[in-house]
Amino acid sequence: EIRTFMVSGGYESADLWDVASGAFMLDLNPRAHCFGAAFSRDGRRLAISTASPRGGAYPKDTSQVLCWNLENGRGVQTLRGMATPISQVQFSPGGRYVAALATDWRIAIWDRQTGELKLVLESPEGEFPDNAALAFSSDDLRFACSAGTNATLWDLAAGRQLGAWTLPMGLGDCLAFPGAGPLTLFRVETRSRERGPLRDVPYEQDPRVCRIRELLDSGRMRTIAEIAAFNRHVFSELAPRDLSYIVVDGVTIDAEGEHRSVACFGGRTGKQLWSIPILGGPKASVSMHLDPTGQVLCVGPGDGSECDLFRMPAGSRIGSMKRPEALGPGAEIWL
């Protein structure tokens, strides 16, 4: 809230701070010495008095009172309520909610407009929080999470659990509400389903398999596709919000040796749509980014050199760029 702000002033400075987190919020830039500051009783206005120091090389008109209206959430919004570091963040399709998965496997759901912490949910626990999947329904009414050996679905309005599923141990989850269809899950598992695709599980004894499942009512599941293309290892995976396709970076081993590639698969069928080879094998560094609309994929080496841009899901090359950290919608802007 506004009342958690603090102002500090001094030699040509006046700064606004967040008291709860200690974070710097705003440089008020008075351009003169700050001699006084006060908030209004409702915390919605801030006044600062400035003056020129005696003998200083300042214009005579720097003695003034500056007044600001303070709007919570304008520019930077702080959402509070989690006790451990945040591993993943996701916005709901309608923009009403923000979900965050913390490293203690709790999920916070905030109302983005008010900043109110609406729910704290107990997530299914997996091996690594960054391998879990979070998904909102298109109407912002339901929320799901999958990790480790479980997936859970909640009603956001009532804050109650709607469904739960027990899964074989897996990693690299991608979860989606594909239109009117059932909740759909992609993840990397092992062929036997008895062990997870972890480093201490030899691929020779238990090859890696990517599976796509529909999560049905009453804890039932239906496997709609198995992808055995990367029996050695899967490094990373990307998918748009509707899981209409999945892009996988992985290694296949056969009689001719190891082959690393990035391939795209249909999210409903598991059918391979296209594939590009990656030179350097398993030790190569690969960077992959997908824009928020799912229209543009960026793939390249992780050393900061040029990356290729592809139109999705066709996989047609449309250009190149220096390795980005994140893509904006349609890759028209990037970080």
Side-chain angles (χ1 to χ4, degrees):
E1 292 187 1
I2 296 291
R3 292 184 181 88
T4 65
F5 288 168
M6 178 183 74
V7 64
S8 63
Y11 179 73
E12 289 193 323
S13 69
D15 299 319
L16 197 64
W17 304 83
D18 184 305
V19 173
S21 66
F24 170 76
M25 301 294 291
L26 182 65
D27 179 359
L28 300 172
N29 193 20
R31 298 186 179 180
H33 286 14
C34 175
F35 281 87
F39 290 97
S40 62
R41 291 178 66 88
D42 62 5
R44 297 184 181 277
R45 290 182 176 84
L46 170 65
I48 290 177
S49 61
T50 68
S52 300
R54 291 183 179 180
Y58 291 86
K60 294 181 179 180
D61 61 355
T62 55
S63 296
Q64 56 187 335
V65 175
L66 308 174
C67 192
W68 285 266
N69 289 323
L70 301 179
E71 298 178 30
N72 190 24
R74 184 180 177 91
V76 176
Q77 184 179 21
T78 302
L79 304 175
R80 301 186 182 89
M82 304 306 283
T84 62
I86 302 299
S87 179
Q88 292 194 51
V89 176
Q90 187 164 134
F91 289 88
S92 66
R96 180 179 178 182
Y97 298 117
V98 177
L101 172 63
T103 54
D104 63 359
W105 295 99
R106 286 187 171 88
I107 301 170
I109 307 289
W110 289 277
D111 185 305
R112 192 180 64 83
Q113 293 183 340
T114 65
E116 175 190 2
L117 177 60
K118 181 178 177 63
L119 295 169
V120 177
L121 307 171
E122 296 294 331
S123 164
E125 292 192 16
E127 289 289 325
F128 313 104
D130 61 352
N131 275 245
L134 311 176
F136 285 96
S137 61
S138 59
D139 56 10
D140 289 4
L141 296 179
R142 293 173 295 162
F143 176 78
C145 177
S146 65
T149 58
N150 294 278
T152 310
L153 173 67
W154 293 272
D155 179 318
L156 291 180
R160 64 185 179 89
Q161 183 175 300
L162 294 176
W165 295 266
T166 300
L167 303 160
M169 175 60 197
L171 296 173
D173 292 24
C174 297
L175 191 62
F177 291 86
L183 189 62
T184 303
L185 172 65
F186 166 91
R187 63 196 340 232
V188 183
E189 299 174 354
T190 58
R191 186 168 61 188
S192 71
R193 296 182 171 87
E194 296 177 356
R195 298 178 291 181
L198 302 172
R199 183 173 297 179
D200 59 354
V201 178
Y203 68 90
E204 304 95 326
Q205 300 175 12
D206 220 343
R208 281 37 175 168
V209 176
C210 301
R211 293 189 173 96
I212 304 173
R213 292 185 178 88
E214 291 180 341
L215 305 183
L216 309 173
D217 294 337
S218 303
R220 296 179 298 115
M221 299 179 292
R222 184 170 74 92
T223 300
I224 59 177
E226 289 196 358
I227 301 169
F230 301 106
N231 58 354
R232 172 68 171 86
H233 186 68
V234 171
F235 288 97
S236 60
E237 55 289 311
L238 295 172
R241 189 183 290 272
D242 63 358
L243 204 65
S244 56
Y245 64 84
I246 306 105
V247 180
V248 181
D249 169 23
V251 176
T252 304
I253 188 164
D254 55 26
E256 298 179 356
E258 294 183 335
H259 315 280
R260 184 167 181 178
S261 61
V262 170
C264 180
F265 303 88
R268 304 291 178 269
T269 64
K271 178 182 178 182
Q272 182 171 307
L273 305 179
W274 52 263
S275 176
I276 55 175
I278 299 295
L279 302 178
K283 295 184 179 181
S285 177
V286 175
S287 169
M288 294 202 309
H289 296 282
L290 188 65
D291 87 297
T293 66
Q295 299 179 55
V296 179
L297 171 71
C298 179
V299 179
D303 59 5
S305 56
E306 289 288 303
C307 297
D308 291 319
L309 296 173
F310 299 92
R311 182 70 62 193
M312 298 300 292
S316 55
R317 187 180 182 278
I318 56 176
S320 64
M321 67 190 309
K322 190 172 182 179
R323 184 177 72 89
E325 294 299 327
L327 296 175
E332 294 181 3
I333 58 174
W334 60 88
L335 177 67

